[in-house]
């Protein structure tokens, strides 16, 4: 059984349907990327999974339990969420920002410090430990925030199954740090974490994901291996633009080129 099971989920707000009968699953160690145009329902899907929005139909289960029924502190030990916008105006140091993640745990100060240092090293932000958060660039803040959510679910022994939800994690990052971040996510998933993220860059999604899910108008149009899902005809239809797809010269993964 997959760690995350989303079955027939529908979400409506103010009489407008945002998700309609969406189903997907993510296994331990698997990276699943959700793509789709603006307004397709990608963020709504993550919010429904995180229990920030209540579906009017369907079910979200984590490790065999309905997410809404899991006690909040325990859920925070199992599930970490990185949203698109993470406003923080307090003059916390980088290390203090990452340390916020350890609140749901009772692992002790020494262990928490070690976990935070390891998560910061994984995201190449250890050098920002003493820097004040508001003085950092948008990209540096984004990488610190990812280190924070990694630290929240860093150890397998702290939870019965771990899920990482990421909403556009490469926003504000240069190309080098985009790939560094995606490699870090892939490495983290290999420790047994299920990862579900929204991604605008389809070439990045194809390179680092085991499965790609396509949403449009709140519906799931396709799901499967990147090579099978990311076709010229599907992308042309969903995004209303002409593209060509060529295989990457080293990996063979799809590279999407605008025409």
């Amino acid at each position: 059984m997959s760690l995350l099971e989303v079955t027939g989920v529908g979400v409506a707000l103010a009489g407008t349907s945002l998700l309609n009968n969406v189903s997907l699953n993510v296994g331990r160690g698997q990276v699943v990327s959700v793509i789709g145009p603006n307004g397709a329902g990608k963020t709504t899907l993550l919010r429904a999974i995180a229990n920030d929005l209540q579906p009017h139909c369907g079910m979200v289960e984590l490790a065999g339990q309905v997410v809404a029924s899991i006690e909040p502190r325990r859920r925070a030990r199992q599930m970490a969420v990185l949203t698109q916008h993470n406003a923080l105006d307090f003059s916390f140091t980088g290390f203090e920002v990452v340390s916020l993640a350890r609140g749901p745990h009772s692992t002790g100060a020494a262990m928490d410090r070690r976990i935070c240092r390891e998560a910061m090293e994984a995201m190449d932000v250890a050098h920002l430990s003493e820097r004040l958060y508001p003085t950092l660039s948008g990209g540096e803040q984004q990488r610190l925030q990812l280190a924070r959510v990694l630290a929240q679910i860093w150890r397998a022994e702290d939870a019965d199954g771990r899920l990482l939800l990421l909403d556009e994690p490469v926003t504000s990052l240069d190309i080098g740090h985009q790939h560094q971040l995606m490699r870090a996510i892939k490495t983290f998933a290999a420790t047994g974490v299920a990862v579900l993220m929204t991604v605008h860059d389809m070439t990045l999604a194809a390179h680092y994901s085991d499965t790609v899910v396509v949403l449009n108008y709140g519906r799931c149009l396709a799901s499967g291996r990147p090579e099978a899902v990311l076709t010229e005809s599907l992308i042309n239809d969903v995004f209303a633009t002409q593209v060509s797809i060529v295989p990457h010269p080293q990996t063979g993964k799809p590279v999407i080129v605008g025409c």
Side-chain angles (χ1 to χ4, degrees), residues 3 8 43 45 153 170 189 209 236:
L3 180 70
T43 296
L45 174 61
I153 55 172
V170 298
S209 305
N236 293 343

Side-chain angles (χ1 to χ4, degrees), residues 21-140:
N21 194 33
V22 173
S23 298
L24 59 84
N25 58 77
V26 188
R28 299 169 194 259
Q30 189 177 25
V31 177
V32 176
S33 290
V34 181
I35 67 169
N38 294 336
K42 302 184 298 295
T43 296
T44 300
L45 174 61
L46 293 193
R47 292 186 66 196
I49 293 169
N51 201 46
D52 290 336
L53 288 176
Q54 297 301 314
H56 64 76
C57 64
M59 186 177 298
V60 179
E61 295 175 282
L62 179 62
Q65 285 193 274
V66 176
V67 165
S69 72
I70 302 174
E71 187 270 326
R73 187 180 179 92
R74 179 184 162 203
R75 187 167 64 231
R77 293 194 293 266
Q78 291 182 274
M79 180 193 302
V81 184
L82 181 67
T83 59
Q84 285 189 41
H85 306 290
N86 297 279
L88 180 62
D89 296 326
F90 296 107
S91 293
F92 290 160
T93 66
F95 188 83
E96 287 171 336
V97 170
V98 177
S99 297
L100 294 172
R102 299 304 297 171
H105 299 274
S106 302
T107 43
M111 177 60 71
D112 288 346
R113 284 194 298 270
R114 193 185 88 183
I115 288 170
C116 291
R117 285 196 297 268
E118 290 175 354
M120 293 181 76
E121 288 168 2
M123 286 312 307
D124 191 29
V125 290
H127 63 290
L128 302 177
S129 291
E130 301 305 318
R131 292 278 304 278
L132 297 181
Y133 186 83
T135 69
L136 301 176
S137 71
E140 289 171 328

Side-chain angles (χ1 to χ4, degrees), residues 31-35 205-206 209-214 222-226 229-230:
V31 177
V32 176
S33 290
V34 181
I35 67 169
S209 305
D210 301 296
T211 299
V212 170
V213 176
V214 183
S223 178
R225 293 181 300 103
V229 169
L230 296 175

Side-chain angles (χ1 to χ4, degrees), residues 180-251:
Q180 188 269 338
L181 181 147
M182 295 294 271
R183 287 193 298 269
I185 291 170
K186 191 76 173 174
T187 299
F188 192 53
T191 68
V193 178
V195 179
L196 179 66
M197 61 183 171
T198 67
V199 184
H200 271 306
D201 189 322
M202 290 177 283
T203 298
L204 271 180
H207 189 78
Y208 291 100
S209 305
D210 301 296
T211 299
V212 170
V213 176
V214 183
L215 284 188
N216 199 19
Y217 296 111
R219 294 180 178 272
C220 181
L221 300 185
S223 178
R225 293 181 300 103
E227 298 88 341
V229 169
L230 296 175
T231 65
E232 292 178 1
S233 60
L234 182 141
I235 295 172
N236 293 343
D237 289 344
V238 170
F239 291 90
T241 189
Q242 296 295 308
V243 300
S244 296
I245 297 180
V246 296
H248 190 280
Q250 295 176 324
T251 66

